[in-house]
Amino acid sequence: MNTDTTHRTPHDDGRPLGFWLKAVDSLLSQQIDAALESEGIDHRDWRLLNALAGTVDAPGLHDRLARKPHRVTMLAEHGWVELVDGEWTLTDEGRTTLDRLAPRVAAVREHVAAAVSPEDFATTLASLEAIARELGWEEGKPLPRRKRPRGRHGHGFGPHGHGFGPHGFGPHGHGHGPHGHGFGPHRFGARGFHHGHRDAS
């Protein structure tokens, strides 16, 4: 067993990078869900609204919505999106809603950014981008999906056999993307969490 603590910082308890990425991802989703709860939507709906508005890139979005239309259909029931010439697009009410809710999501972003200095926050984002690029990420390229092992009890694909991840649909039980959110990590473009590269998450 490796007991070398020479290079550990006072806050390093040995947990790997993946743990902290998942922890931040899950907690951030929870915060955004709480901010949007009164509207009857969650972070996945928020990202979908932004993708349909064109404020973030969402490669393959049309095909995904064709395969799984439930979420966009719900937004249509709100009167926020409509099908025009075979393509889903925001209505005027949808754009108004997007503008109205943007400050709530921005407040969550500011709360996250305030946890560290602006310099450390910028360094963290730059470091994560560098790591992603080293692992093969490219601008506009969909993130790879995780393989779905069959459940031990034979009822599904997660460890408990109830879905596609440990808690349901996706690694965190939340959706279709590598972090269970459909369109990638928390990059909400100009209207949301990450104000750098345009990526639909």
Side-chain angles (χ1 to χ4, degrees):
M1 180 175 66
N2 183 8
T3 59
D4 181 14
T5 60
T6 304
H7 301 293
R8 289 190 179 185
T9 68
H11 300 291
D12 184 1
D13 59 3
R15 289 187 174 96
L17 174 65
F19 170 84
W20 294 114
L21 291 175
K22 291 177 182 178
V24 171
D25 181 63
S26 180
L27 293 167
L28 181 57
S29 296
Q30 183 183 62
Q31 291 285 314
I32 294 174
D33 286 349
L36 301 174
E37 184 178 11
S38 64
E39 302 291 332
I41 63 174
D42 61 18
H43 61 277
R44 293 163 294 180
D45 301 312
W46 172 254
R47 280 193 300 277
L48 180 53
L49 283 172
N50 275 277
L52 293 173
T55 60
V56 295
D57 293 331
L61 177 63
H62 178 76
D63 291 339
R64 275 179 283 179
L65 294 181
R67 292 194 306 268
K68 299 182 178 181
H70 171 73
R71 191 165 294 276
V72 72
T73 300
M74 184 273 290
L75 295 179
E77 291 173 354
H78 279 281
W80 297 341
V81 302
E82 61 183 350
L83 199 58
V84 178
D85 296 329
E87 297 282 348
W88 286 103
T89 185
L90 259 65
T91 62
D92 290 341
E93 183 178 354
R95 293 186 181 280
T96 298
T97 298
L98 201 64
D99 290 338
R100 177 169 55 82
L101 298 181
R104 300 189 193 183
V105 179
V108 176
R109 181 189 66 81
E110 291 167 3
H111 177 68
V112 172
V116 295
S117 70
E119 295 77 16
D120 284 347
F121 188 70
T123 298
T124 298
L125 292 180
S127 297
L128 290 175
E129 180 179 341
I131 292 171
R133 289 185 182 278
E134 180 65 22
L135 294 175
W137 177 81
E138 297 176 8
E139 192 77 48
K141 180 181 178 180
L143 292 170
R145 294 170 180 259
R146 288 184 177 179
K147 292 183 179 180
R148 299 168 178 173
R150 294 191 62 82
R152 289 177 295 179
H153 304 295
H155 300 304
F157 302 99
H160 303 296
H162 299 307
F164 303 118
H167 303 298
F169 308 97
H172 303 301
H174 296 314
H176 318 298
H179 299 295
H181 297 306
F183 308 115
H186 290 286
R187 294 177 180 246
F188 300 126
R191 298 178 183 275
F193 174 64
H194 183 53
H195 52 273
H197 296 286
R198 288 162 58 85
D199 190 2
S201 104

